[in-house]
Amino acid sequence: MCVALSPVCACFLANGSDGKKIGDAVQNLNDQARWGLIQDATLLVQPDYRERFLTQHRRWGSEIQLADSEVVNVSLASDSKLASALVTYSWYARNDMTLHETTLRQLWKARSSNFALASEAVVRGDPGLLQEASQSDSHEP
């Protein structure tokens, strides 16, 4: 299924140059995030979204333990300037070790010779994956 980014949408084609670039970028960022390499993942994030990305992922690896991630769908707009990815994460809240599942929609934008993450939003499942830590949480020992 193709996720519409514009009136006309070209679904991800692994053999296409832009299709390979976006597929690799999506896989790399989500693999790095899954293994706790958030700082490395920011290299694949648009500069104007980096601070928010870091804030939304600050609990990953401490309060949140990622169990698995799966890139479910990648769709490339017909002009190859925008792409959308659906990524499902299975994760544990370390305070209660309850398994949760969340699907994120990631919006990607073309930049120079690659793609960069421009935004993320929860589309299904537990919204706690991207919730920012409260001020009181960040000052606890």
Side-chain angles (χ1 to χ4, degrees):
M1 181 170 119
C2 195
V3 178
L5 293 171
S6 64
V8 179
C9 179
C11 285
F12 171 66
L13 299 172
N15 294 333
S17 176
D18 288 331
K20 179 161 178 31
K21 286 179 188 176
I22 185 59
D24 288 348
V26 169
Q27 194 65 50
N28 287 339
L29 179 133
N30 287 289
D31 282 349
Q32 289 171 350
R34 178 178 179 211
W35 298 112
L37 303 171
I38 299 299
Q39 290 295 329
D40 293 343
T42 62
L43 297 174
L44 294 167
V45 176
Q46 290 275 47
D48 62 347
Y49 183 59
R50 253 180 221 145
E51 186 174 329
R52 177 117 193 242
F53 177 85
L54 286 169
T55 300
Q56 289 179 320
H57 295 79
R58 183 165 285 134
R59 299 180 312 131
W60 292 27
S62 58
E63 296 173 39
I64 291 175
Q65 178 63 47
L66 300 175
D68 195 16
S69 66
E70 178 184 4
V71 177
V72 178
N73 178 280
V74 178
S75 300
L76 185 61
S78 59
D79 64 2
S80 297
K81 293 184 185 209
L82 292 175
S84 176
L86 290 176
V87 183
T88 298
Y89 281 96
S90 298
W91 56 278
Y92 292 93
R94 287 197 175 184
N95 63 345
D96 65 5
M97 292 308 289
T98 303
L99 181 65
H100 303 265
E101 187 172 279
T102 304
T103 300
L104 303 179
R105 177 175 321 245
Q106 298 176 333
L107 177 63
W108 293 76
K109 292 183 181 177
R111 67 173 183 188
S112 58
S113 63
N114 208 338
F115 285 84
L117 180 67
S119 69
E120 290 180 297
V122 174
V123 294
R124 190 172 33 243
D126 190 325
L129 184 65
L130 288 185
Q131 285 181 346
E132 299 171 14
S134 69
Q135 289 291 351
S136 62
D137 290 344
S138 62
H139 296 295
E140 289 181 5

